[in-house]
Amino acid sequence: MQHIGPMNNLLYAILLAASFGSAFADSIEDTARGIHTRTLTLDTHIDINPKDFTTERNPGMRLDGVAVDLPKMNEGGLDAGFFIVYVGQGDATLKARKAAHEKALEKFRAIHRMTEEINPDTIQLALSSADVTRIWRSGKKVAMIGVENAYPLEYDQAYLKDFHDLGARYISLTHNKHNLFADSNYPKAGEPASIHNGVSDAGRNLISEANKLGIMLDISHASKKSALDIINYSSAPVIASHSAVDNLLPHSRNLDDEVLKALKSNNGVVHIVAFRSYLKETPHEKMQRLNELAEEFNLPKGDIWSEGDRIFSALFAQPKENIGAYFSKWKEITRTSPHADISDLIDHVDYVVNKIGIDHVGISSDFGGGGGVDGWEDASQTFNITLELVRRGYTEADIAKIWSGNLLRVWADVEAVAAASKQ
Ligand SMILES: [Zn+2]
Protein backbone atom coordinates (compact mmCIF):
# COMPACT_ATOMS: atom_id res chain seq x y z
CA MET A 1 0.00 0.00 0.00
CA GLN A 2 1.19 3.40 -0.78
CA HIS A 3 1.81 5.50 2.24
CA ILE A 4 -0.23 8.68 2.31
CA GLY A 5 1.16 11.31 4.66
CA PRO A 6 -1.05 13.76 6.56
CA MET A 7 -0.38 16.54 4.01
CA ASN A 8 -1.36 14.31 1.14
CA ASN A 9 -4.45 13.19 3.02
CA LEU A 10 -5.51 16.78 3.42
CA LEU A 11 -4.82 17.55 -0.23
CA TYR A 12 -6.81 14.47 -1.25
CA ALA A 13 -9.72 15.53 0.94
CA ILE A 14 -9.71 19.02 -0.57
CA LEU A 15 -9.61 17.65 -4.11
CA LEU A 16 -12.39 15.21 -3.31
CA ALA A 17 -14.55 17.92 -1.75
CA ALA A 18 -13.92 20.21 -4.72
CA SER A 19 -14.96 17.57 -7.22
CA PHE A 20 -18.04 16.64 -5.16
CA GLY A 21 -18.84 20.33 -4.82
CA SER A 22 -18.85 20.88 -8.55
CA ALA A 23 -20.74 17.62 -9.18
CA PHE A 24 -23.30 18.86 -6.66
CA ALA A 25 -23.58 22.20 -8.48
CA ASP A 26 -23.94 20.34 -11.80
CA SER A 27 -26.70 18.21 -10.40
CA ILE A 28 -28.56 21.25 -9.05
CA GLU A 29 -28.30 22.89 -12.45
CA ASP A 30 -29.49 19.68 -14.18
CA THR A 31 -32.40 19.34 -11.75
CA ALA A 32 -33.33 22.98 -12.31
CA ARG A 33 -33.12 22.54 -16.10
CA GLY A 34 -35.49 19.58 -15.94
CA ILE A 35 -37.96 21.42 -13.73
CA HIS A 36 -37.75 24.56 -15.85
CA THR A 37 -38.57 22.58 -19.01
CA ARG A 38 -41.52 20.79 -17.43
CA THR A 39 -42.98 23.88 -15.73
CA LEU A 40 -45.33 26.40 -17.29
CA THR A 41 -43.51 29.67 -16.58
CA LEU A 42 -45.77 32.73 -16.53
CA ASP A 43 -44.83 36.38 -16.02
CA THR A 44 -47.80 38.53 -14.90
CA HIS A 45 -46.48 41.93 -15.99
CA ILE A 46 -44.81 42.87 -19.29
CA ASP A 47 -45.20 46.46 -20.50
CA ILE A 48 -45.32 47.08 -24.22
CA ASN A 49 -44.77 49.80 -26.80
CA PRO A 50 -47.10 49.46 -29.82
CA LYS A 51 -44.14 50.58 -31.99
CA ASP A 52 -42.60 47.13 -31.36
CA PHE A 53 -45.68 45.37 -32.79
CA THR A 54 -45.44 46.26 -36.49
CA THR A 55 -44.52 44.18 -39.55
CA GLU A 56 -41.11 45.90 -39.66
CA ARG A 57 -40.34 45.56 -35.97
CA ASN A 58 -42.10 42.91 -33.90
CA PRO A 59 -41.69 40.26 -31.18
CA GLY A 60 -40.84 37.61 -33.79
CA MET A 61 -37.45 39.36 -34.07
CA ARG A 62 -34.71 39.73 -31.50
CA LEU A 63 -35.30 43.38 -30.61
CA ASP A 64 -32.54 45.57 -29.20
CA GLY A 65 -33.54 47.34 -26.01
CA VAL A 66 -36.70 45.23 -25.60
CA ALA A 67 -36.65 42.67 -22.78
CA VAL A 68 -39.39 40.38 -24.08
CA ASP A 69 -39.62 39.05 -27.63
CA LEU A 70 -40.16 35.52 -28.90
CA PRO A 71 -36.46 34.67 -29.44
CA LYS A 72 -35.68 35.77 -25.85
CA MET A 73 -38.70 33.88 -24.48
CA ASN A 74 -37.50 30.74 -26.28
CA GLU A 75 -33.93 31.15 -25.08
CA GLY A 76 -34.94 31.67 -21.44
CA GLY A 77 -37.84 29.22 -21.39
CA LEU A 78 -40.48 31.84 -20.58
CA ASP A 79 -43.77 30.28 -21.70
CA ALA A 80 -46.46 32.82 -20.98
CA GLY A 81 -46.83 36.51 -20.27
CA PHE A 82 -49.46 39.09 -19.50
CA PHE A 83 -48.86 41.92 -21.97
CA ILE A 84 -50.01 45.18 -20.47
CA VAL A 85 -52.46 47.80 -21.65
CA TYR A 86 -51.12 50.67 -19.55
CA VAL A 87 -52.21 54.28 -19.76
CA GLY A 88 -50.79 56.91 -17.41
CA GLN A 89 -53.22 58.89 -15.30
CA GLY A 90 -54.30 62.20 -16.85
CA ASP A 91 -56.88 64.77 -15.91
CA ALA A 92 -60.66 64.45 -15.86
CA THR A 93 -61.46 66.53 -18.96
CA LEU A 94 -63.52 64.74 -21.58
CA LYS A 95 -60.74 65.26 -24.14
CA ALA A 96 -58.08 63.64 -21.91
CA ARG A 97 -60.34 60.72 -20.95
CA LYS A 98 -61.21 60.08 -24.59
CA ALA A 99 -57.53 60.18 -25.57
CA ALA A 100 -56.73 57.69 -22.78
CA HIS A 101 -59.41 55.34 -24.04
CA GLU A 102 -57.99 55.53 -27.56
CA LYS A 103 -54.46 54.91 -26.24
CA ALA A 104 -55.66 51.77 -24.45
CA LEU A 105 -57.33 50.50 -27.64
CA GLU A 106 -54.06 51.07 -29.53
CA LYS A 107 -52.29 48.72 -27.09
CA PHE A 108 -55.03 46.09 -27.36
CA ARG A 109 -54.67 46.29 -31.16
CA ALA A 110 -50.88 45.88 -30.92
CA ILE A 111 -51.20 42.66 -28.89
CA HIS A 112 -53.86 41.32 -31.27
CA ARG A 113 -51.62 42.12 -34.25
CA MET A 114 -48.90 39.97 -32.66
CA THR A 115 -51.12 36.95 -31.98
CA GLU A 116 -53.33 37.16 -35.09
CA GLU A 117 -51.30 38.73 -37.90
CA ILE A 118 -47.58 38.86 -37.22
CA ASN A 119 -46.70 35.81 -35.08
CA PRO A 120 -49.83 33.58 -35.04
CA ASP A 121 -47.79 30.38 -35.45
CA THR A 122 -45.67 31.01 -32.38
CA ILE A 123 -47.81 32.85 -29.84
CA GLN A 124 -51.54 32.72 -29.12
CA LEU A 125 -53.87 34.80 -26.96
CA ALA A 126 -55.39 32.98 -23.98
CA LEU A 127 -58.88 34.08 -22.96
CA SER A 128 -59.37 31.59 -20.12
CA SER A 129 -57.23 29.83 -17.54
CA ALA A 130 -57.79 26.55 -19.41
CA ASP A 131 -56.58 28.22 -22.64
CA VAL A 132 -53.22 28.93 -21.01
CA THR A 133 -52.42 25.27 -20.35
CA ARG A 134 -53.90 24.11 -23.67
CA ILE A 135 -51.87 26.60 -25.74
CA TRP A 136 -48.69 25.83 -23.76
CA ARG A 137 -49.14 22.09 -24.37
CA SER A 138 -49.54 22.80 -28.10
CA GLY A 139 -45.98 24.16 -28.05
CA LYS A 140 -46.87 27.81 -28.61
CA LYS A 141 -46.11 30.73 -26.35
CA VAL A 142 -49.06 32.16 -24.44
CA ALA A 143 -50.06 35.84 -24.48
CA MET A 144 -52.59 37.25 -22.05
CA ILE A 145 -53.76 40.82 -21.52
CA GLY A 146 -53.80 42.81 -18.29
CA VAL A 147 -54.96 46.42 -17.94
CA GLU A 148 -52.88 48.71 -15.72
CA ASN A 149 -54.92 51.72 -14.56
CA ALA A 150 -58.68 51.98 -15.07
CA TYR A 151 -58.27 55.63 -16.16
CA PRO A 152 -59.28 54.81 -19.79
CA LEU A 153 -62.66 53.74 -18.31
CA GLU A 154 -63.22 57.19 -16.83
CA TYR A 155 -64.34 57.99 -20.39
CA ASP A 156 -67.17 55.47 -19.99
CA GLN A 157 -67.19 52.62 -17.49
CA ALA A 158 -69.37 50.53 -19.79
CA TYR A 159 -66.22 49.97 -21.88
CA LEU A 160 -65.06 47.41 -19.31
CA LYS A 161 -67.19 44.91 -21.24
CA ASP A 162 -65.41 45.87 -24.50
CA PHE A 163 -62.03 45.49 -22.77
CA HIS A 164 -63.11 42.00 -21.68
CA ASP A 165 -64.17 41.20 -25.25
CA LEU A 166 -60.73 42.38 -26.40
CA GLY A 167 -59.12 39.89 -24.00
CA ALA A 168 -58.47 41.85 -20.80
CA ARG A 169 -58.31 39.38 -17.93
CA TYR A 170 -57.01 41.57 -15.13
CA ILE A 171 -57.30 45.24 -14.28
CA SER A 172 -55.76 47.52 -11.66
CA LEU A 173 -57.93 50.43 -10.55
CA THR A 174 -55.10 52.95 -10.36
CA HIS A 175 -51.54 53.75 -11.35
CA ASN A 176 -49.61 56.76 -10.00
CA LYS A 177 -52.09 59.52 -8.93
CA HIS A 178 -55.61 59.06 -7.60
CA ASN A 179 -58.44 58.65 -10.09
CA LEU A 180 -62.21 58.33 -10.26
CA PHE A 181 -62.09 54.76 -8.93
CA ALA A 182 -59.61 54.69 -6.05
CA ASP A 183 -56.75 56.26 -4.15
CA SER A 184 -53.32 55.46 -5.58
CA ASN A 185 -50.26 54.52 -3.55
CA TYR A 186 -48.59 57.56 -5.12
CA PRO A 187 -50.56 60.82 -5.09
CA LYS A 188 -49.69 63.54 -7.57
CA ALA A 189 -47.51 66.32 -6.10
CA GLY A 190 -49.86 68.55 -4.10
CA GLU A 191 -52.61 65.92 -3.90
CA PRO A 192 -53.65 64.69 -0.42
CA ALA A 193 -52.72 61.11 0.53
CA SER A 194 -56.36 60.13 0.08
CA ILE A 195 -59.37 61.60 -1.74
CA HIS A 196 -61.77 58.63 -1.51
CA ASN A 197 -60.57 56.92 1.68
CA GLY A 198 -59.73 53.90 -0.51
CA VAL A 199 -62.06 52.77 -3.27
CA SER A 200 -64.81 55.19 -4.44
CA ASP A 201 -68.41 54.24 -5.27
CA ALA A 202 -67.46 54.20 -8.95
CA GLY A 203 -64.56 51.89 -8.07
CA ARG A 204 -66.83 49.60 -6.11
CA ASN A 205 -69.15 49.40 -9.10
CA LEU A 206 -66.19 48.60 -11.37
CA ILE A 207 -65.12 45.79 -9.01
CA SER A 208 -68.57 44.26 -9.15
CA GLU A 209 -68.65 44.52 -12.97
CA ALA A 210 -65.19 42.92 -13.20
CA ASN A 211 -66.41 40.07 -10.96
CA LYS A 212 -69.38 39.51 -13.28
CA LEU A 213 -67.24 39.57 -16.42
CA GLY A 214 -64.50 37.30 -15.05
CA ILE A 215 -61.75 39.92 -14.96
CA MET A 216 -59.24 39.51 -12.12
CA LEU A 217 -58.71 42.57 -9.91
CA ASP A 218 -55.13 43.74 -9.40
CA ILE A 219 -54.20 45.59 -6.19
CA SER A 220 -50.75 46.73 -7.42
CA HIS A 221 -50.43 50.55 -7.48
CA ALA A 222 -53.41 50.94 -5.10
CA SER A 223 -53.04 52.68 -1.73
CA LYS A 224 -53.07 50.32 1.24
CA LYS A 225 -56.69 51.22 2.07
CA SER A 226 -57.67 50.80 -1.60
CA ALA A 227 -56.00 47.36 -1.68
CA LEU A 228 -57.90 46.28 1.45
CA ASP A 229 -61.15 47.67 -0.02
CA ILE A 230 -60.63 45.81 -3.31
CA ILE A 231 -60.03 42.56 -1.41
CA ASN A 232 -63.08 43.27 0.73
CA TYR A 233 -65.46 44.29 -2.08
CA SER A 234 -64.42 41.61 -4.57
CA SER A 235 -66.49 38.43 -4.50
CA ALA A 236 -63.55 36.55 -6.07
CA PRO A 237 -59.84 36.19 -5.21
CA VAL A 238 -57.59 39.06 -6.32
CA ILE A 239 -53.99 39.41 -7.46
CA ALA A 240 -51.13 41.82 -6.95
CA SER A 241 -49.64 41.56 -10.45
CA HIS A 242 -46.33 43.26 -9.62
CA SER A 243 -45.53 44.22 -6.03
CA ALA A 244 -43.08 43.19 -3.30
CA VAL A 245 -42.87 42.94 0.49
CA ASP A 246 -43.08 46.11 2.57
CA ASN A 247 -41.52 44.45 5.61
CA LEU A 248 -38.30 43.79 3.61
CA LEU A 249 -38.22 47.14 1.79
CA PRO A 250 -40.67 49.73 3.08
CA HIS A 251 -42.29 51.28 0.00
CA SER A 252 -45.87 52.31 -0.72
CA ARG A 253 -45.83 50.00 -3.79
CA ASN A 254 -45.19 47.01 -1.52
CA LEU A 255 -47.62 44.95 0.56
CA ASP A 256 -47.39 44.94 4.33
CA ASP A 257 -48.29 41.97 6.55
CA GLU A 258 -51.88 43.13 7.00
CA VAL A 259 -52.46 43.20 3.24
CA LEU A 260 -50.64 39.88 2.80
CA LYS A 261 -52.89 38.27 5.41
CA ALA A 262 -56.00 39.74 3.75
CA LEU A 263 -54.73 38.35 0.44
CA LYS A 264 -54.37 34.92 2.03
CA SER A 265 -57.90 34.91 3.45
CA ASN A 266 -59.15 36.03 0.00
CA ASN A 267 -57.20 33.07 -1.53
CA GLY A 268 -55.36 35.50 -3.81
CA VAL A 269 -51.77 35.73 -5.02
CA VAL A 270 -48.96 38.31 -5.05
CA HIS A 271 -46.50 38.18 -7.93
CA ILE A 272 -43.21 39.48 -6.54
CA VAL A 273 -41.79 41.99 -8.99
CA ALA A 274 -38.19 42.13 -10.24
CA PHE A 275 -38.10 45.88 -9.68
CA ARG A 276 -34.87 47.01 -8.07
CA SER A 277 -36.11 49.86 -5.90
CA TYR A 278 -39.00 47.80 -4.46
CA LEU A 279 -36.66 44.95 -3.48
CA LYS A 280 -33.61 46.62 -2.03
CA GLU A 281 -32.60 50.06 -0.87
CA THR A 282 -30.71 51.99 -3.53
CA PRO A 283 -26.99 51.78 -2.61
CA HIS A 284 -25.50 55.04 -1.38
CA GLU A 285 -22.94 55.17 -4.20
CA LYS A 286 -25.64 54.75 -6.85
CA MET A 287 -27.87 57.35 -5.23
CA GLN A 288 -24.96 59.78 -5.21
CA ARG A 289 -24.34 59.24 -8.93
CA LEU A 290 -28.07 59.68 -9.66
CA ASN A 291 -28.15 62.89 -7.67
CA GLU A 292 -25.10 64.22 -9.52
CA LEU A 293 -26.89 63.40 -12.76
CA ALA A 294 -30.00 65.21 -11.55
CA GLU A 295 -27.87 68.25 -10.73
CA GLU A 296 -26.24 68.18 -14.17
CA PHE A 297 -29.66 68.32 -15.85
CA ASN A 298 -31.20 70.63 -13.26
CA LEU A 299 -33.77 68.01 -12.15
CA PRO A 300 -35.24 67.06 -8.77
CA LYS A 301 -33.07 64.55 -6.92
CA GLY A 302 -33.97 60.87 -6.50
CA ASP A 303 -34.31 57.62 -8.41
CA ILE A 304 -36.57 57.84 -11.45
CA TRP A 305 -38.31 54.67 -10.29
CA SER A 306 -39.57 56.26 -7.11
CA GLU A 307 -39.51 59.95 -8.01
CA GLY A 308 -40.37 59.43 -11.68
CA ASP A 309 -43.27 61.84 -11.92
CA ARG A 310 -41.38 64.86 -10.64
CA ILE A 311 -38.20 64.02 -12.52
CA PHE A 312 -39.94 63.27 -15.81
CA SER A 313 -42.10 66.38 -15.83
CA ALA A 314 -38.96 68.51 -15.39
CA LEU A 315 -36.95 66.45 -17.90
CA PHE A 316 -39.56 66.35 -20.65
CA ALA A 317 -39.81 70.15 -20.56
CA GLN A 318 -36.18 70.23 -21.78
CA PRO A 319 -34.81 70.02 -25.36
CA LYS A 320 -34.94 66.57 -26.97
CA GLU A 321 -31.15 66.11 -26.98
CA ASN A 322 -31.07 66.60 -23.20
CA ILE A 323 -33.62 63.82 -22.75
CA GLY A 324 -31.54 61.40 -24.83
CA ALA A 325 -28.33 62.39 -23.03
CA TYR A 326 -29.96 61.98 -19.63
CA PHE A 327 -31.22 58.46 -20.37
CA SER A 328 -27.93 57.23 -21.80
CA LYS A 329 -26.13 58.45 -18.64
CA TRP A 330 -28.87 56.98 -16.44
CA LYS A 331 -28.53 53.62 -18.19
CA GLU A 332 -24.76 53.69 -17.65
CA ILE A 333 -25.26 54.29 -13.91
CA THR A 334 -27.76 51.45 -13.71
CA ARG A 335 -25.39 49.15 -15.60
CA THR A 336 -22.34 49.92 -13.50
CA SER A 337 -23.92 50.26 -10.04
CA PRO A 338 -25.25 46.82 -9.11
CA HIS A 339 -28.50 47.00 -7.22
CA ALA A 340 -30.68 43.96 -6.45
CA ASP A 341 -30.27 40.55 -7.99
CA ILE A 342 -32.26 37.32 -8.23
CA SER A 343 -31.34 36.39 -4.67
CA ASP A 344 -32.94 39.63 -3.40
CA LEU A 345 -36.04 38.86 -5.47
CA ILE A 346 -36.35 35.34 -4.06
CA ASP A 347 -35.87 36.72 -0.51
CA HIS A 348 -39.25 38.43 -1.03
CA VAL A 349 -40.74 35.17 -2.35
CA ASP A 350 -39.42 33.32 0.73
CA TYR A 351 -40.96 35.96 3.00
CA VAL A 352 -44.41 35.54 1.47
CA VAL A 353 -44.14 31.75 1.64
CA ASN A 354 -43.22 31.91 5.33
CA LYS A 355 -45.90 34.48 6.11
CA ILE A 356 -48.94 33.26 4.14
CA GLY A 357 -47.89 30.04 2.41
CA ILE A 358 -46.72 28.64 -0.93
CA ASP A 359 -50.21 29.00 -2.48
CA HIS A 360 -50.15 32.79 -2.57
CA VAL A 361 -46.95 33.80 -4.36
CA GLY A 362 -45.73 34.17 -7.93
CA ILE A 363 -43.16 36.09 -10.00
CA SER A 364 -43.34 39.06 -12.34
CA SER A 365 -40.76 41.04 -14.26
CA ASP A 366 -42.29 44.46 -15.05
CA PHE A 367 -40.02 44.30 -18.10
CA GLY A 368 -40.60 47.36 -20.25
CA GLY A 369 -41.84 49.28 -17.22
CA GLY A 370 -38.59 49.58 -15.30
CA GLY A 371 -38.32 45.95 -14.18
CA GLY A 372 -35.25 43.71 -14.25
CA VAL A 373 -32.65 42.68 -11.68
CA ASP A 374 -29.09 41.40 -12.05
CA GLY A 375 -29.45 37.90 -13.46
CA TRP A 376 -32.95 38.55 -14.86
CA GLU A 377 -32.49 41.54 -17.14
CA ASP A 378 -34.62 40.12 -19.95
CA ALA A 379 -36.70 37.06 -20.84
CA SER A 380 -33.64 35.15 -22.10
CA GLN A 381 -32.41 34.81 -18.48
CA THR A 382 -35.64 33.39 -17.05
CA PHE A 383 -34.03 30.03 -16.19
CA ASN A 384 -31.96 31.76 -13.49
CA ILE A 385 -35.14 32.23 -11.42
CA THR A 386 -35.90 28.50 -11.40
CA LEU A 387 -32.25 27.76 -10.61
CA GLU A 388 -32.36 30.00 -7.53
CA LEU A 389 -35.65 28.43 -6.39
CA VAL A 390 -34.09 24.95 -6.68
CA ARG A 391 -30.99 26.13 -4.79
CA ARG A 392 -33.27 27.30 -1.96
CA GLY A 393 -34.88 23.89 -1.72
CA TYR A 394 -38.21 24.51 -3.41
CA THR A 395 -39.66 21.29 -4.86
CA GLU A 396 -40.93 20.90 -8.41
CA ALA A 397 -44.53 21.12 -7.13
CA ASP A 398 -43.71 24.36 -5.25
CA ILE A 399 -42.03 25.84 -8.31
CA ALA A 400 -45.01 24.96 -10.52
CA LYS A 401 -47.27 26.85 -8.10
CA ILE A 402 -44.95 29.86 -8.00
CA TRP A 403 -44.49 30.06 -11.77
CA SER A 404 -48.15 29.70 -12.77
CA GLY A 405 -50.20 27.29 -10.67
CA ASN A 406 -51.31 29.86 -8.12
CA LEU A 407 -52.26 32.45 -10.73
CA LEU A 408 -54.21 29.88 -12.79
CA ARG A 409 -56.05 28.76 -9.64
CA VAL A 410 -57.08 32.36 -8.87
CA TRP A 411 -58.09 32.90 -12.51
CA ALA A 412 -60.25 29.73 -12.50
CA ASP A 413 -61.91 30.89 -9.24
CA VAL A 414 -62.64 34.27 -10.85
CA GLU A 415 -64.16 32.50 -13.87
CA ALA A 416 -66.34 30.37 -11.56
CA VAL A 417 -67.63 33.48 -9.72
CA ALA A 418 -68.45 35.11 -13.08
CA ALA A 419 -70.23 31.98 -14.32
CA ALA A 420 -72.25 31.73 -11.08
CA SER A 421 -73.31 35.39 -11.39
CA LYS A 422 -74.89 34.64 -14.78
CA GLN A 423 -77.14 31.90 -13.43
ZN1 LIG B 1 -46.68 49.21 -12.76
Side-chain angles (χ1 to χ4, degrees), residues 219-296:
I219 62 171
S220 290
H221 287 289
S223 72
K224 176 179 171 175
K225 178 62 166 55
S226 295
L228 291 170
D229 282 353
I230 295 165
I231 293 171
N232 197 21
Y233 297 155
S234 173
S235 46
V238 308
I239 66 170
S241 72
H242 60 307
S243 292
V245 171
D246 187 72
N247 209 16
L248 294 183
L249 194 279
H251 193 293
S252 66
R253 275 285 283 106
N254 288 344
L255 311 185
D256 70 11
D257 287 356
E258 189 185 350
V259 176
L260 286 176
K261 280 175 189 158
L263 199 64
K264 179 189 168 79
S265 48
N266 161 275
N267 207 20
V269 61
V270 49
H271 278 249
I272 297 297
V273 65
F275 199 101
R276 288 179 165 90
S277 47
Y278 305 159
L279 295 173
K280 201 177 184 182
E281 195 135 11
T282 309
H284 180 70
E285 176 262 2
K286 182 180 178 183
M287 209 60 243
Q288 216 164 356
R289 293 177 69 191
L290 288 169
N291 286 338
E292 282 164 18
L293 181 69
E295 215 160 285
E296 186 186 335

Side-chain angles (χ1 to χ4, degrees), residues 195-218:
I195 59 170
H196 302 297
N197 188 29
V199 170
S200 69
D201 289 345
R204 192 167 181 169
N205 187 51
L206 200 71
I207 290 170
S208 131
E209 289 305 310
N211 283 159
K212 284 182 206 155
L213 289 164
I215 299 176
M216 292 180 275
L217 289 151
D218 178 8

